[in-house]
Amino acid sequence: MSANDSGRIISWHENPSVPTFTPPPGAVDAHCHVFGPMADFPFSPKAKYLPEDAGPDMLFALRDRLGFARNVIVQASCHGTDNSATLNGIAKSGGKARGVAVVDPAVTDAELERLHAGGMRGVRFNFLKRLVDDAPKDKFLEIAKRIQPLGWHVVVYFEADILEEMRPFLDAIPTLILIDHMGRPDVSQGPDGADMRAFRRLLDSRDDIWTKVTCPDRLDPLGAPWDDFAHAVAPLVADYQDRVLWGTDWPHPNMEKAIPDDGALVDMIPRIAPTAQLQRKLLVDNPMRLYWPGE
């Protein structure tokens, strides 16, 4: 485990490489987080991990180092339903970041409007039991209906073994749905394995279900260079090229025992999106359509 003297966890690479792949102009890192700073934005008392600060300045320095132009900051579970740290990151971005919130089921319409004004464009529902204690589907559906007038989408995070039991819930969501990390399939099964076939059935069930083709470090147990991930995911990008996003997942929550090099993560992009057209859709066109429509 990587931790400092205070016991707070460090889960990011201290000196990530500069990628050999150059993202196209305007590229968006569409899945990243900020942690704290704790002195200004305390972590939730229910947090399952206590990270070291990874604030906006660090995020934007990484963005520039990796060759990206914009970020989508996803509320991290360690901050619970207090979105202040994420809003702070968006505010400091100079218009170059949008966000995805986590909200309490009792959230008011006024609070949703405030979050929208602060740059939030979606809400995240987390079903990973190791990260959250409660995931009330009925209340989540109420939230999904209430965000419709704002034009937001729903981000859903779950693991492959519960995909089938999730289907009625997903079918009932009235907004565009964005699935984190492809629902965490077993990429060692290959592109035609049971997990990927089940995920394709979900994508085929609605044309407004998108996904993030992210986190080889989480999904490929063999580790870098993540060949199984590349083999399993490239066909998905080709077949659903208008519904895929990419992101670093920096600062890699809960990956302190296998911290990835962010430059190497960027160098995965041409392996799953080998043409300039696919790369532009994945990194520019799709995220801009979702988070900066009209720009």
Side-chain angles (χ1 to χ4, degrees):
M1 177 179 293
S2 180
N4 63 15
D5 292 340
S6 69
R8 293 170 63 190
I9 294 168
I10 297 171
S11 54
W12 60 88
H13 200 289
E14 296 284 0
N15 187 30
S17 62
V18 175
T20 57
F21 171 71
T22 302
V28 181
D29 176 352
H31 188 92
C32 53
H33 315 278
V34 290
F35 296 156
M38 188 170 76
D40 300 318
F41 306 104
F43 298 108
S44 167
K46 296 181 181 178
K48 305 294 186 180
Y49 59 97
L50 183 62
E52 185 52 90
D53 292 344
D57 292 346
M58 288 176 64
L59 175 62
F60 302 147
L62 179 74
R63 174 198 67 199
D64 296 344
R65 182 176 180 83
L66 299 180
F68 284 76
R70 303 183 190 226
N71 299 96
V72 179
I73 306 173
V74 178
Q75 172 79 350
S77 65
C78 59
H79 279 293
T81 58
D82 181 351
N83 292 274
S84 301
T86 300
L87 289 168
N88 177 61
I90 298 169
K92 289 193 167 181
S93 74
K96 294 180 179 180
R98 291 282 190 261
V100 174
V102 174
V103 301
D104 187 279
V107 64
T108 64
D109 289 342
E111 174 65 4
L112 290 174
E113 292 280 2
R114 186 183 76 87
L115 293 172
H116 185 81
M120 296 296 192
R121 294 297 181 266
V123 64
R124 190 189 203 200
F125 300 147
N126 190 334
F127 288 90
L128 265 62
K129 291 183 175 63
R130 62 180 172 79
L131 294 178
V132 294
D133 293 323
D134 188 29
K137 291 177 181 164
D138 54 338
K139 294 187 170 110
F140 283 171
L141 285 176
E142 290 174 18
I143 293 171
K145 292 170 185 171
R146 292 176 57 207
I147 65 171
Q148 268 189 292
L150 296 170
W152 287 16
H153 59 279
V154 165
V155 176
V156 187
Y157 190 22
F158 59 86
E159 295 180 304
D161 61 346
I162 67 166
L163 172 55
E164 289 311 312
E165 71 181 75
M166 291 286 294
R167 286 296 299 270
F169 169 73
L170 296 170
D171 291 344
I173 292 175
T175 67
L176 185 147
I177 301 169
L178 180 55
I179 306 295
D180 273 343
H181 319 321
M182 299 167 288
R184 297 182 63 112
D186 179 354
V187 295
S188 69
Q189 299 173 353
D192 301 313
D195 284 0
M196 201 60 89
R197 288 202 314 271
F199 189 64
R200 282 173 171 263
R201 286 195 295 272
L202 174 65
L203 293 175
D204 291 341
S205 71
R206 288 173 55 167
D207 60 10
D208 63 348
I209 298 181
W210 294 26
T211 193
K212 299 174 189 173
V213 288
T214 41
C215 292
D217 50 303
R218 293 185 187 277
L219 301 182
D220 192 332
L222 294 181
W226 308 303
D227 292 335
D228 282 351
F229 181 93
H231 177 60
V233 175
L236 192 78
V237 174
D239 291 344
Y240 301 92
Q241 56 191 263
D242 295 315
R243 295 194 262 158
V244 287
L245 303 178
W246 184 90
T248 56
D249 190 41
W250 186 91
H252 314 294
N254 297 296
M255 291 299 291
E256 62 273 6
K257 294 178 182 176
I259 299 173
D261 173 355
D262 300 279
L265 291 174
V266 173
D267 284 333
M268 173 60 70
I269 293 168
R271 299 179 66 194
I272 60 173
T275 69
Q277 180 184 20
L278 285 174
Q279 291 159 13
R280 180 168 178 85
K281 287 186 174 185
L282 178 66
L283 300 175
V284 183
D285 296 346
N286 297 344
M288 288 300 291
R289 193 152 42 105
L290 200 55
Y291 292 99
W292 285 271
E295 287 193 28

